Amino acid sequence: MAKTKENQLNYATAGVDIDAGTDLVERIKPLAASTARAGADTGLGGFGGAFDLKQAGFKDPVLVSGTDGVGTKLKLACEVDLHETVGIDLVAMCVNDILAQGAEPLFFLDYFATSKLKPEQAAKVVAGIAKGCRQANCALIGGETAEMPGMYKGGEYDLAGFVVGAAERGKLLPRHQQMQEGDPVIGISSSGPHSNGYSLIRKIIQVNELSLEQKAPFDPGQTLAQALLTPTRIYVDSLIPLIRDDMINGLAHITGGGLIENPDRMLPKHLKVKLDHTSWNWPDVFTWMSQTGGVSNHEMLRTFNCGIGMIITVTKTMLEETVLRLRDAGETVMQIGELREAK
């Protein structure tokens, strides 16, 4: 059996750089501090993070948690070395999900895994996470960085996010007892594909032998990579006030499964969403994907959000005020359908 000399091996020779991890922690401490909110102590370095629900203003809260990732959108970011926005995607995918349950995001934790830790690269990712947390009024209270030699290629990495939110008891969504046939369905515009369908997007690029550095056909002011890395929109500021005022009966975050599978997730079994597909125009990126990739409308609708990032159902009497308040909050909204009896 071959033997090693005394003191010849250490963690660094195995591929894990403890000093790089320490460097990263120091880089991200001010980023976490920038996300401070009532109830959270965002100091890093301990073994866990604490949150004070009473200090955050809750009296009888129900906790709601969620977890998600960014998927193969990360492949694009790594291919062109643009890492500033995928952290926003990570936060958005998590907080928008619990928002659909009527919960206000409170605190967030991230998991960053890579083969060889590059503190500058990782710091850009975490800066995006912190930016997303600030957009969601959500404290970044901790996370984990894992350096795992051999698990990932080159400078690639993976991300996972974990969010905890809360709602006062009785304020959770959906409110099935308030829903009835004929209730309007409102769509809120997305910022693009968000973080879904990127395996298909990458296949379209590959089959058509396109360069990520070329001008985006649907947005000549950006490269194809820059346009496709547009971060997921976060809807917390727009929707939390309406949820608190009991204006919304149901919310659906349009993620994997697109506009085919997600809308009915907010409904009781006796109702379904009937969308009017002529009520909004697909943003150019989706038209480009459909035409360039030869992707059918049905496949587009069950893979992508096709321009609608969130849908809402309200009572008819709340329609006008809901639309006005969302537009005042900076959202692009339109009625895109109604509830029908399921057959």
Side-chain angles (χ1 to χ4, degrees):
M1 179 181 292
K3 295 184 179 180
T4 58
K5 294 181 180 180
E6 187 178 1
N7 298 327
Q8 183 176 351
L9 294 180
N10 56 36
Y11 217 3
T13 60
V16 178
D17 190 341
I18 295 174
D19 292 334
T22 303
D23 179 21
L24 177 60
V25 171
E26 292 304 312
R27 289 173 184 250
I28 66 179
K29 279 183 178 179
L31 298 173
S34 73
T35 69
R37 57 154 293 162
D41 175 4
T42 55
L44 300 183
F47 291 97
F51 193 93
D52 187 336
L53 286 165
K54 185 175 181 181
Q55 191 179 96
F58 287 90
K59 297 175 182 177
D60 186 17
V62 176
L63 294 179
V64 180
S65 61
T67 183
D68 211 334
V70 182
T72 58
K73 191 173 187 177
L74 294 177
K75 295 282 286 186
L76 295 184
C78 290
E79 284 182 41
V80 295
D81 198 27
L82 292 174
H83 310 282
E84 290 80 2
T85 59
V86 290
I88 301 174
D89 288 302
L90 184 67
V91 175
M93 295 303 288
C94 294
V95 300
N96 287 341
D97 271 356
I98 68 165
L99 188 61
Q101 300 295 132
E104 175 186 345
L106 300 177
F107 60 88
F108 192 87
L109 299 98
D110 67 277
Y111 175 79
F112 179 98
T114 187
S115 179
K116 178 68 175 176
L117 182 61
K118 299 178 180 179
E120 184 175 350
Q121 177 198 63
K124 289 178 180 178
V125 174
V126 178
I129 294 172
K131 185 173 183 179
C133 284
R134 291 193 298 272
Q135 290 179 16
N137 191 28
C138 182
L140 177 59
I141 66 170
E144 171 69 6
T145 301
E147 192 172 20
M148 299 185 288
M151 285 289 289
Y152 302 92
K153 296 179 182 178
E156 291 185 352
Y157 54 87
D158 197 11
L159 291 175
F162 311 88
V163 67
V164 173
E168 294 290 359
R169 197 173 304 275
K171 295 281 188 176
L172 288 171
L173 296 177
R175 302 195 300 170
H176 287 168
Q177 70 279 8
Q178 304 295 330
M179 298 179 184
Q180 57 184 345
E181 185 178 13
D183 283 350
V185 172
I186 302 166
I188 310 180
S189 291
S190 67
S191 56
H194 284 180
S195 298
N196 296 104
Y198 274 79
S199 293
L200 178 53
I201 292 173
R202 290 171 49 245
K203 191 68 174 179
I204 293 169
I205 293 170
Q206 177 190 351
V207 168
N208 288 277
E209 299 181 342
L210 303 175
S211 167
L212 291 173
E213 300 294 349
Q214 72 180 61
K215 294 295 183 182
F218 51 89
D219 187 357
Q222 299 188 88
T223 65
L224 184 57
Q226 289 170 334
L228 292 173
L229 287 171
T230 299
T232 307
R233 189 162 179 80
I234 293 174
Y235 300 98
V236 173
D237 280 349
S238 308
L239 290 174
I240 284 294
L242 302 185
I243 293 170
R244 288 175 177 168
D245 289 345
D246 296 323
M247 296 176 64
I248 293 173
N249 293 333
L251 270 173
H253 183 202
I254 309 304
T255 56
L259 287 163
I260 300 294
E261 296 183 6
N262 286 292
D264 289 344
R265 294 169 65 184
M266 67 177 176
L267 301 178
K269 291 183 179 181
H270 71 280
L271 292 173
K272 66 177 182 179
V273 170
K274 175 64 176 177
L275 294 179
D276 176 4
H277 294 285
T278 67
S279 61
W280 82 95
N281 294 320
W282 288 11
D284 291 344
V285 60
F286 297 104
T287 303
W288 171 79
M289 285 192 290
S290 178
Q291 294 176 350
T292 305
V295 184
S296 69
N297 279 0
H298 178 77
E299 189 67 15
M300 289 292 297
L301 288 165
R302 76 170 189 167
T303 305
F304 302 105
N305 64 60
C306 295
I308 304 296
M310 277 274 194
I311 69 169
I312 308 169
T313 184
V314 298
T315 60
K316 292 179 181 179
T317 57
M318 285 292 175
L319 174 61
E320 184 176 354
E321 183 180 354
T322 301
V323 169
L324 286 174
R325 287 182 61 172
L326 285 170
R327 286 176 177 165
D328 286 345
E331 302 291 357
T332 300
V333 297
M334 66 290 291
Q335 184 177 350
I336 61 172
E338 65 179 24
L339 299 188
R340 295 277 183 87
E341 286 290 333
K343 297 180 180 179

